[in-house]
Amino acid sequence: MSDINLNSLKSLLIFKTLYETGTATRTARDLGITQSGVSRSLAQLEENIGIALFMRHKKRLIALPEADELYGEILGLLSNLENMKHSIVALREFGASRIRIACAPALGFAYVPKTIARILSDNPKYSVYLDIMPSPEVVRAVEAGYFDVGFVTLPVTSQALVVDELIATEAVCLMPRNHSLAKASVITTEDLKGQHLVIPNQPNLAADQLLLHLSEKNIRIAGKTEANIAAICSLVANGVGITLINPITAYDHQATRDDLLIKPFKPAFHYRFGLVYKQNWANNRLIGLLKEMLPELPDHLVAERLKD
Amino acid sequence: MSDINLNSLKSLLIFKTLYETGTATRTARDLGITQSGVSRSLAQLEENIGIALFMRHKKRLIALPEADELYGEILGLLSNLENMKHSIVALREFGASRIRIACAPALGFAYVPKTIARILSDNPKYSVYLDIMPSPEVVRAVEAGYFDVGFVTLPVTSQALVVDELIATEAVCLMPRNHSLAKASVITTEDLKGQHLVIPNQPNLAADQLLLHLSEKNIRIAGKTEANIAAICSLVANGVGITLINPITAYDHQATRDDLLIKPFKPAFHYRFGLVYKQNWANNRLIGLLKEMLPELPDHLVAERLKD
DNA sequence: TTATTTGATGATTTATAGTCATGTTATAAC
DNA sequence: GTTATAACATGACTATAAATCATCAAATAA
């Protein structure tokens, strides 16, 4: 008597139709059941919620004020339910349509946004949430469930996540168009002698390798500026110095300004980027799209072993 | 496969708990059912909506991205349902909690609003909708279902509605405090000779009776002003003339200004007010309250036969 | 290796929802 | 007044859906 049991939405639907049509017979016909079924359903609903909803007067069902109010409530609930059904259809059709992406800075400012834009132009239904953070934080955020997938600089060590390698490239040298090295076709470690270097302030495998290499070869640079990766290109363009940087970031920035030059660099410092996610996302359509829709890199930037 | 059958909310609740607890065993314990029931319910839900929600991996259930989204949807739906249950409990406790009241002007500006205020101060849960219109329109509006109850001037003829008589009073004479008749203790028809009368412009039994009576007795008045009942008292207070009016309106207005006098009038012109509503509201609690909570009238205003 | 935990499944029971046949009451038609 | 029609209720029955029991298989912890 006291606790309301609304597991069966059917009785609510029958009530709603009854309220709208006014007679049990008509309701039964509309819903494709029998009149006695409607009568029973109503009686049971009233018993269940402990409220008389219709007055039985001269063999007619007359809606009581309580029925008016319940009807209003039910309209809301049923429309909510209808929305959910639509969402389910969409889910079935397109799979999960929301993805939270954490992205390392190297890819986060243009490369991944470009990818997302491509996906969304084909499938406007998806919702995307994108944030940029250093690779180690990306890994932690995905492990913790704050994000669904992460773009990271490889290698990463995480036994909880699936790691797909996506891109392998070699560092390139970025310099102002009017730089003294502008005519060289390839830049080497030797060329850096006496130069001012601009390097990322985040721990960075390639930059570390470079500095180690310079010290091994006993090459002295004029000085260095450490900066956030988003600011490096601007520093270079303004003549602060030259930088060794992953080619994706380099091309992303060069595309928006004409005062920068990109040069190959020897020896090769490798950058590898990948996607990390939990096992349960393995067969997800959005993950698939993220991999498929990555912009092509200029051929000469792709490391040999990924070219096949 | 294609049409979604969500008659059973139970499966949604089981899914929700499963999503939250992470294991079917725990879910079963929490919900007081068996583990096999949970397993079956989930399998059936997935089959029903055509979406895999959990990945079965090493005898564990791992939520898929689709489950994340469905969970969000279900939270909304279930909170909606919870609200509805609360509404139902309130309905059971207090009956229908919304009432639409149509009211004749005589009672609509102060008497009924005062009643409503009393009811709401005791039971803030109720929602009230109040409108003012002439008695015949009140009757039609209630018959048509646009309003739940109506306060009307009696008599009314409607076989579709229940009519409860609430108040029987006699017309009183309202005049400015500085009027020449201000010293009389009782006003009679004779006293109206040569006076300017202010009367309601709506068809009105008492006013009609008065005019008939005056013409029968061959009493000539100086002139008359017909006005909306809401404006009559202001006209009187400003010296336009005197009026014969129902005592409720008279006292309502006199209470807010000190330049008006109320005098008994002979012979008696009766006013009767009543409540009209459809049969299905007969036992409604709000109707009962409306009757109970009417402000007391000063004793001398109540007609003899209602005094008991 | 053993004990424990987890989810899945066949067989069975239980509970629910609905039908059928019929009854009663009211209204409309003749 | 009689008859036909239409409304809702109800006892008895049935089909369907839901849950259980008992048991299995896989994984993990002791």
Side-chain angles (χ1 to χ4, degrees):
Chain A
M1 177 57 147
S2 177
D3 56 335
I4 297 158
N5 167 358
L6 285 180
N7 292 328
S8 163
L9 284 180
K10 222 167 202 168
S11 63
L12 294 188
L13 178 63
I14 291 175
F15 165 82
K16 170 171 173 280
T17 314
L18 176 55
Y19 184 90
E20 288 166 347
T21 64
T23 84
T25 310
R26 178 105 210 282
T27 301
R29 186 154 42 78
D30 287 9
L31 296 179
I33 57 178
T34 61
Q35 173 269 319
S36 43
V38 174
S39 179
R40 277 218 152 65
S41 171
L42 175 64
Q44 188 200 321
L45 179 65
E46 289 182 317
E47 159 72 26
N48 181 9
I49 66 178
I51 300 174
L53 295 169
F54 284 82
M55 187 172 55
R56 278 70 171 175
H57 184 64
K58 303 189 177 188
K59 285 281 151 182
R60 293 293 139 100
L61 293 171
I62 300 164
L64 291 169
E66 284 80 2
D68 300 342
E69 289 205 29
L70 185 64
Y71 178 70
E73 299 277 344
I74 286 179
L75 281 189
L77 186 73
L78 258 43
S79 98
N80 199 321
L81 190 75
E82 217 40 52
N83 289 342
M84 190 166 100
K85 284 189 184 177
H86 285 144
S87 302
I88 288 176
V89 170
L91 259 185
R92 183 166 54 198
E93 201 76 12
F94 306 104
S97 61
R98 176 193 62 128
I99 193 167
R100 296 163 303 174
I101 305 172
C103 188
L107 305 178
F109 292 105
Y111 193 73
V112 166
K114 227 178 282 174
T115 310
I116 292 169
R118 285 178 170 203
I119 293 175
L120 290 181
S121 80
D122 288 357
N123 317 74
K125 310 208 141 226
Y126 291 125
S127 306
V128 175
Y129 177 80
L130 173 69
D131 205 352
I132 296 173
M133 60 193 75
S135 275
E137 279 190 40
V138 168
V139 173
R140 265 182 283 138
V142 175
E143 282 178 341
Y146 300 137
F147 288 83
D148 302 312
V149 293
F151 284 91
V152 292
T153 319
L154 299 179
V156 301
T157 54
S158 167
Q159 60 278 56
L161 301 181
V162 179
V163 182
D164 286 351
E165 180 166 347
L166 297 175
I167 309 161
T169 64
E170 296 171 4
V172 294
C173 189
L174 195 68
M175 66 185 68
R177 189 169 285 281
N178 56 5
H179 195 271
S180 58
L181 289 169
K183 270 140 283 169
S185 60
V186 174
I187 309 297
T188 67
T189 335
E190 299 295 332
D191 296 326
L192 297 181
K193 188 178 293 178
Q195 295 291 335
H196 190 99
L197 271 191
V198 180
I199 57 176
N201 57 1
Q202 287 287 334
N204 179 298
L205 204 60
D208 293 349
Q209 285 181 342
L210 173 63
L211 293 176
L212 185 65
H213 190 73
L214 291 177
S215 94
E216 279 173 358
K217 290 234 171 177
N218 209 19
I219 296 169
R220 305 286 292 275
I221 56 175
K224 69 176 191 220
T225 296
E226 296 182 70
N228 185 290
I229 194 160
I232 285 182
C233 291
S234 175
L235 291 168
V236 170
N238 286 284
V240 171
I242 70 177
T243 187
L244 205 65
I245 198 175
N246 77 75
I248 293 175
T249 306
Y251 277 88
D252 287 341
H253 282 92
Q254 199 213 23
T256 63
R257 55 198 309 164
D258 54 4
D259 49 1
L260 287 171
L261 278 182
I262 296 175
K263 299 280 176 186
F265 187 86
K266 291 290 171 200
F269 293 117
H270 291 287
Y271 284 93
R272 291 158 53 224
F273 298 103
L275 203 59
V276 297
Y277 47 87
K278 286 191 182 168
Q279 178 61 41
N280 60 339
W281 278 79
N283 297 314
N284 184 262
R285 181 169 162 73
L286 268 169
I287 298 271
L289 282 174
L290 276 179
K291 294 185 200 168
E292 282 171 31
M293 301 294 260
L294 291 176
E296 291 288 320
L297 287 177
D299 198 51
H300 64 275
L301 293 180
V302 181
E304 283 304 322
R305 65 200 165 82
L306 278 185
K307 271 196 180 164
D308 53 287
Chain B
M1 179 56 147
S2 176
D3 57 335
I4 297 158
N5 168 1
L6 286 179
N7 292 327
S8 164
L9 284 181
K10 220 167 203 167
S11 63
L12 295 189
L13 177 63
I14 291 175
F15 165 80
K16 170 172 172 280
T17 314
L18 176 55
Y19 184 90
E20 288 165 347
T21 64
T23 85
T25 310
R26 179 105 210 282
T27 301
R29 185 154 42 77
D30 286 8
L31 296 180
I33 57 179
T34 60
Q35 174 269 320
S36 44
V38 173
S39 178
R40 278 213 152 69
S41 171
L42 174 65
Q44 188 201 326
L45 178 65
E46 290 181 317
E47 158 73 26
N48 182 10
I49 67 178
I51 301 174
L53 296 170
F54 284 82
M55 187 173 54
R56 278 73 170 172
H57 185 63
K58 302 189 178 189
K59 283 280 154 181
R60 293 292 138 102
L61 293 170
I62 299 163
L64 292 168
E66 284 80 3
D68 300 343
E69 290 205 29
L70 185 64
Y71 178 71
E73 298 278 342
I74 285 179
L75 281 189
L77 186 74
L78 258 44
S79 100
N80 198 321
L81 190 76
E82 218 39 54
N83 288 342
M84 191 165 97
K85 285 188 182 178
H86 285 145
S87 301
I88 287 175
V89 170
L91 261 185
R92 183 165 58 197
E93 201 77 12
F94 304 105
S97 61
R98 176 194 61 127
I99 194 167
R100 298 164 301 174
I101 304 172
C103 189
L107 305 177
F109 292 105
Y111 192 74
V112 165
K114 229 177 280 173
T115 310
I116 291 170
R118 285 178 168 205
I119 292 175
L120 290 181
S121 79
D122 287 358
N123 317 75
K125 309 203 142 233
Y126 292 126
S127 306
V128 176
Y129 177 79
L130 174 69
D131 205 351
I132 296 174
M133 60 192 75
S135 276
E137 277 191 42
V138 168
V139 173
R140 264 181 285 140
V142 174
E143 282 178 341
Y146 300 136
F147 288 82
D148 302 312
V149 292
F151 283 91
V152 291
T153 320
L154 300 179
V156 300
T157 54
S158 168
Q159 60 277 55
L161 301 180
V162 179
V163 181
D164 286 348
E165 180 167 347
L166 298 175
I167 309 163
T169 64
E170 296 170 5
V172 294
C173 189
L174 194 69
M175 66 184 68
R177 190 170 283 281
N178 58 3
H179 195 270
S180 58
L181 288 172
K183 270 140 286 171
S185 60
V186 174
I187 310 296
T188 67
T189 336
E190 299 296 330
D191 296 328
L192 296 182
K193 187 178 291 176
Q195 295 293 334
H196 190 100
L197 273 190
V198 181
I199 56 175
N201 57 2
Q202 288 288 334
N204 178 299
L205 203 61
D208 292 349
Q209 286 179 341
L210 173 64
L211 293 176
L212 185 65
H213 189 73
L214 291 176
S215 94
E216 277 174 1
K217 289 234 174 180
N218 208 20
I219 295 169
R220 304 285 292 276
I221 56 173
K224 69 177 192 219
T225 296
E226 297 182 69
N228 185 290
I229 194 160
I232 285 180
C233 292
S234 175
L235 291 168
V236 170
N238 286 287
V240 170
I242 71 177
T243 186
L244 205 66
I245 199 176
N246 78 75
I248 293 175
T249 306
Y251 276 87
D252 286 344
H253 281 93
Q254 200 213 22
T256 64
R257 53 199 310 165
D258 55 4
D259 49 3
L260 287 172
L261 278 183
I262 297 175
K263 299 282 177 182
F265 188 85
K266 292 291 171 194
F269 292 119
H270 291 288
Y271 284 94
R272 292 159 54 224
F273 298 103
L275 204 59
V276 297
Y277 47 87
K278 286 192 182 167
Q279 178 61 41
N280 59 341
W281 278 78
N283 297 314
N284 184 262
R285 181 169 162 72
L286 268 169
I287 297 272
L289 282 175
L290 276 179
K291 294 185 199 169
E292 282 171 31
M293 302 293 261
L294 290 176
E296 292 288 318
L297 286 178
D299 198 49
H300 62 278
L301 294 180
V302 180
E304 283 304 323
R305 67 201 162 80
L306 278 185
K307 272 196 182 162
D308 52 287

